[in-house]
Amino acid sequence: MDYTLNIKGRLMSMAEPQVMGILNVTPDSFYAESRVQTALAVAERARQIVAEGGTIIDIGACSTRPSSEPVGQEEEMERLRMALGVVRRELPSAVVSVDTFRPDVARMAVEEFGADIINDVGGPATPGASSPSVSSGGEDCAMLRMVSRLRVPYILMSAKPTLRETLLFFAERVQRLRDMGHKDIILDPGFGFGKTLEQNYALLAELEKLLVMELPLLVGVSRKSMICKLLGVMPSEALNATTALHAVALMKGASILRVHDVKEAAECCKLIRKTITETPKP
């Protein structure tokens, strides 16, 4: 996709797929291997993401796994302050995304630590989604107002179950953001949020139709229940299937993969890029 994000004056091109590595500062994320809770572990994970080809580090401090009870805002902030401080010290030039549904957490991350991207995981099916940031209908969206004020790239997630509802949701929210003067927007169809197993795969099958929005698409399917339930495996056994779905998503136009396994995702991106864009047609 011919699109660039403005990262504090640096331009990040979406012409080639980007890999966003997950760094969870939580004790209860659904995939145990993604959990890091000490400063040393945060530093090691951040360096690993970059070394394996990740171009964005996505830091989350409040689990959104199904049936989880979100931690309070102050605890989320405390965890993020530790992690962001470590990452900024260890990798000062890294592009850092913060995964949250709370506007005040987003503000803290940007104003105190210079977070580069806000990844809004709010949605009707997200734990703790009574926040105004995920309200529907004609109500104002607190997170939209916050990111438009902060002027950082924003990942807008949909928890809608069908392609039609997802498109309508995106169109309405993107227009609100445009009206507020916000420019850098990434769309996340929200695999695993508010969707049945069948709806997740139906949306993935039609992912390319979201390109009508002319905005980059982020896909987050890494080791999720849509894989585990279909194949009857645990998250720890879902790497091969995750890579298969990453290939599908890339071929349907995804610009960013949000992943636990950075090396494998980066290799997938390289292979798909070689196959689709570099191999001459006969």
Side-chain angles (χ1 to χ4, degrees), residues 36-45 82-83 86-87 89-90:
V36 292
Q37 294 177 263
T38 67
L40 178 60
V42 168
E44 289 177 349
R45 175 59 178 162
M82 182 276 288
V86 170
V87 173
R89 183 178 68 247
E90 297 290 326

Side-chain angles (χ1 to χ4, degrees), residues 120 131-149 151 154 156 160 167-185 187 213 215:
D120 184 1
S131 161
S133 69
V134 294
S135 62
S136 59
E139 299 177 27
D140 289 336
C141 296
M143 184 66 92
L144 301 192
R145 294 197 304 273
M146 180 61 73
V147 294
S148 67
R149 181 187 125 196
R151 288 292 188 268
Y154 174 59
L156 171 65
K160 300 297 184 182
L167 277 168
L168 289 172
F169 174 84
F170 281 153
E172 189 268 339
R173 295 301 168 95
V174 168
Q175 187 58 55
R176 288 195 192 195
L177 285 162
R178 297 291 193 219
D179 291 344
M180 296 174 187
H182 200 76
K183 296 179 180 178
D184 291 317
I185 305 167
L187 304 179
M213 299 294 299
L215 292 169

Side-chain angles (χ1 to χ4, degrees), residues 55-105:
T55 52
I56 305 169
I57 300 172
D58 190 50
I59 304 177
C62 179
S63 177
T64 55
R65 66 180 174 82
S67 76
S68 68
E69 187 67 29
V71 299
Q73 179 168 290
E74 290 306 314
E75 184 170 354
E76 183 183 5
M77 285 186 175
E78 183 178 343
R79 293 175 180 178
L80 279 173
R81 284 189 173 106
M82 182 276 288
L84 287 165
V86 170
V87 173
R88 282 303 186 215
R89 183 178 68 247
E90 297 290 326
L91 298 164
S93 63
V95 176
V96 174
S97 167
V98 168
D99 178 318
T100 187
F101 60 86
R102 293 176 167 129
D104 287 340
V105 174

Side-chain angles (χ1 to χ4, degrees), residues 156-214:
L156 171 65
M157 192 196 82
S158 167
K160 300 297 184 182
T162 67
L163 175 68
R164 180 178 181 278
E165 290 173 284
T166 298
L167 277 168
L168 289 172
F169 174 84
F170 281 153
E172 189 268 339
R173 295 301 168 95
V174 168
Q175 187 58 55
R176 288 195 192 195
L177 285 162
R178 297 291 193 219
D179 291 344
M180 296 174 187
H182 200 76
K183 296 179 180 178
D184 291 317
I185 305 167
I186 301 158
L187 304 179
D188 176 0
F191 292 105
F193 291 85
K195 301 167 183 63
T196 65
L197 182 67
E198 291 74 19
Q199 288 168 338
N200 277 304
Y201 284 98
L203 187 56
L204 181 60
E206 298 186 291
L207 186 70
E208 72 279 4
K209 294 182 180 178
L210 293 177
L211 295 174
V212 71
M213 299 294 299
E214 298 184 346

